[in-house]
Amino acid sequence: MDDFGTGYGGFKYIQTLGIDSIKIDKMFIDTIGTNDLKRGVLDAIIAFGMESGLEMIVEGVETAEQVEYLKKRGIFLLQGYYFARPMPVEQLKTVKSDEVP
């Protein structure tokens, strides 16, 4: 489920839809390292995902601090500008694994 925690992607729908993975929206990731109240929501989403055995994918990762925060909580499927900007598929095919942080 994309953009989990926003709009219709809330907790109650997960149980009725049989979802096995969620994608956590960037607006929650942006709260890492801040006092934004939504960081508590991020932590609740992570706890819910872990407790439910859901695969969690995170979008919008832009800093090393965010990477570390998420890794410490057992989340390793990360995407965002920290790793690479959007690029044509032909360019992606030439990226070597040692070039990605």
Side-chain angles (χ1 to χ4, degrees):
M1 174 174 281
D2 194 14
D3 297 333
F4 181 77
T6 65
Y8 290 103
F11 295 109
K12 71 179 182 177
Y13 290 100
I14 292 298
Q15 296 170 342
T16 60
L17 295 176
I19 302 295
D20 60 1
S21 65
I22 57 175
K23 188 173 186 185
I24 302 173
D25 191 79
K26 180 184 183 320
M27 84 167 160
F28 297 111
I29 305 313
D30 288 342
T31 66
I32 295 172
T34 72
N35 290 327
D36 189 311
L37 293 175
K38 288 188 296 293
R39 198 180 87 224
V41 176
L42 171 62
D43 292 338
I45 290 170
I46 292 170
F48 173 80
M50 290 295 184
E51 183 68 27
S52 301
L54 296 171
E55 175 182 63
M56 289 180 278
I57 305 160
V58 175
E59 68 178 37
V61 177
E62 296 181 350
T63 68
E65 179 182 16
Q66 292 169 336
V67 171
E68 284 305 308
Y69 185 92
L70 296 163
K71 283 184 175 181
K72 285 181 182 177
R73 285 153 181 82
I75 302 175
F76 301 99
L77 297 175
L78 313 175
Q79 68 182 57
Y81 288 171
Y82 178 76
F83 303 102
R85 299 278 179 172
M87 65 183 76
V89 70
E90 292 306 317
Q91 183 181 351
L92 176 63
K93 290 177 183 178
T94 65
V95 174
K96 296 180 177 95
S97 61
D98 62 341
E99 295 175 340
V100 180

